[in-house]
Amino acid sequence: MPATHSKPVTKKNTETTNKLRKYKKKLRNAKTEEQRLKAEQMIRIHTPKEKKEEVPKKKELTEDQLLDQMVRENEKLRNDPDFIEQQTQAELKRQHLEQERQLTRKKIKNSVKERKEQEEQETKKKLEAFEQRKKDETTLTKHLESHKQFLLKYSEKTGVMETFLDKHKGNKKKATKEFKSQTTKMCRILEYMICEKLQEGELSYDEVKDLLYENMSQSMEHGESSDLKQLTASL
C-alpha cells in the first residue's frame, strides 16, 4: 500500500497582536489581585489617547478693523435701553456717593473745629482758675499775715509767752514751738470766722475783720483770757 504524505498541521497562533484586547482578556481571566492590577495598568498604557480637536484660530483684526468694530459696538450701546438705564443708575450712585463724601468731610471738619474750640475753652478755664487760685493764695497769705501781726501784739500785751514757759517749766524751745503752732492755728480760725460772717452779705471783709479785732481787743482790755485758744472760743 503506497505511503501517504499528510500535510503538516499548523498550530493556531494563540498570541494576539492586539495588545489592548490581550490585556482586557487577561483582566477577565485574572485570578489574583496582582494579575488584575497588572492587567489594568497595561490596559491604561495601550489605550489610545483621544486627540483633542484643534480650535481654529481667530483671524486677527487690523487696527483699523478693531476701531471700526469698537465704533459699531458703541453705537449699539448708545441705543440700548438697558445700557442707558445702567449708565443712569451708575451716575445717580456716583452723585449720591459724592454727596455722602462731602457731608462726611463737613462733619469731620466741624468736629475738629468744635474739639479745638472746646480745648481752647478748657485751657482758658484752667488758666483763669490758676490765676484765681494764685490770687486767692496771695490774698489768703496777706490776710493770715494781718492776723499774725494782730495776735503778736495781743501776745505782747497779755504775756502769752510767759504762760507757755510756765507750762513747759521754762523750756523756751517747747514754749516757742507751741506759741507758733497756736498762732498759726488762730490765724486760720480768725480767717474762717471772717469768711463765715461774710456769707451773711451784710458787711465787707475789712468791716468784719475790724469788728472781730475790736472784740478781741476788748477781751484783752478786760483781761478775760491770756490763752489764744480760750480767747477764740470766747468770741
Side-chain angles (χ1 to χ4, degrees):
M1 190 172 174
T4 60
H5 297 282
S6 60
K7 292 182 180 179
V9 179
T10 57
K11 292 183 179 180
K12 266 188 176 182
N13 184 11
T14 57
E15 294 291 329
T16 179
T17 57
N18 191 325
K19 299 284 185 181
L20 181 60
R21 187 166 58 188
K22 171 184 173 182
Y23 287 108
K24 283 183 178 180
K25 183 177 180 181
K26 284 191 174 186
L27 178 62
R28 288 194 301 272
N29 298 329
K31 294 181 180 181
T32 64
E33 181 67 15
E34 184 179 357
Q35 290 174 349
R36 184 184 68 79
L37 292 174
K38 179 67 176 176
E40 287 177 349
Q41 181 183 8
M42 297 307 293
I43 288 171
R44 285 195 296 273
I45 292 172
H46 295 287
T47 299
K49 294 180 180 180
E50 294 181 1
K51 291 184 179 180
K52 292 183 179 180
E53 294 183 3
E54 291 185 1
V55 179
K57 291 183 179 181
K58 289 184 179 180
K59 184 180 178 181
E60 292 185 0
L61 300 176
T62 64
E63 187 174 346
D64 291 339
Q65 289 174 332
L66 285 172
L67 287 173
D68 290 340
Q69 184 178 349
M70 289 172 66
V71 169
R72 287 194 298 272
E73 288 176 356
N74 285 336
E75 287 294 335
K76 289 179 182 178
L77 286 174
R78 286 196 191 98
N79 299 321
D80 187 354
D82 292 337
F83 176 75
I84 295 171
E85 179 64 20
Q86 289 177 3
Q87 291 294 99
T88 303
Q89 292 298 326
E91 179 62 20
L92 290 173
K93 185 176 181 181
R94 186 194 66 76
Q95 292 177 2
H96 178 69
L97 290 174
E98 181 60 26
Q99 289 176 354
E100 284 188 344
R101 281 194 290 269
Q102 290 179 0
L103 183 61
T104 302
R105 283 196 294 268
K106 187 176 179 180
K107 285 181 178 178
I108 293 172
K109 189 176 179 180
N110 290 338
S111 177
V112 170
K113 184 179 178 182
E114 288 175 2
R115 186 167 62 249
K116 186 177 179 180
E117 289 176 353
Q118 185 177 359
E119 289 175 354
E120 288 176 353
Q121 288 293 330
E122 289 177 356
T123 303
K124 185 179 178 181
K125 286 180 181 179
K126 287 179 181 179
L127 287 172
E128 289 175 352
F130 175 72
E131 293 297 331
Q132 185 61 42
R133 189 163 57 250
K134 279 176 63 179
K135 185 178 178 181
D136 292 344
E137 287 175 357
T138 302
T139 303
L140 178 61
T141 302
K142 183 179 177 182
H143 290 170
L144 294 177
E145 183 62 27
S146 174
H147 302 332
K148 181 180 177 182
Q149 295 302 321
F150 174 78
L151 291 173
L152 289 174
K153 289 179 182 179
Y154 164 79
S155 301
E156 290 175 1
K157 291 180 180 180
T158 57
V160 173
M161 192 62 186
E162 296 298 328
T163 304
F164 289 132
L165 285 170
D166 292 341
K167 180 180 177 180
H168 293 286
K169 299 178 182 180
N171 190 324
K172 189 175 181 179
K173 185 176 181 180
K174 288 184 178 181
T176 303
K177 183 178 180 180
E178 185 173 355
F179 173 75
K180 287 182 178 179
S181 175
Q182 278 208 26
T183 301
T184 301
K185 289 178 182 177
M186 272 294 297
C187 289
R188 295 192 174 276
I189 290 170
L190 289 174
E191 184 66 16
Y192 173 77
M193 291 170 68
I194 294 171
C195 291
E196 194 175 42
K197 189 69 176 175
L198 281 174
Q199 291 180 1
E200 298 175 7
E202 297 176 358
L203 302 173
S204 66
Y205 181 89
D206 290 334
E207 288 173 338
V208 175
K209 183 186 75 171
D210 292 341
L211 183 60
L212 183 62
Y213 284 2
E214 184 179 350
N215 290 338
M216 291 181 69
S217 297
Q218 289 176 1
S219 298
M220 285 188 284
E221 289 175 2
H222 292 88
E224 292 181 3
S225 175
S226 61
D227 184 86
L228 293 177
K229 288 183 179 179
Q230 291 179 4
L231 176 60
T232 307
S234 68
L235 294 173

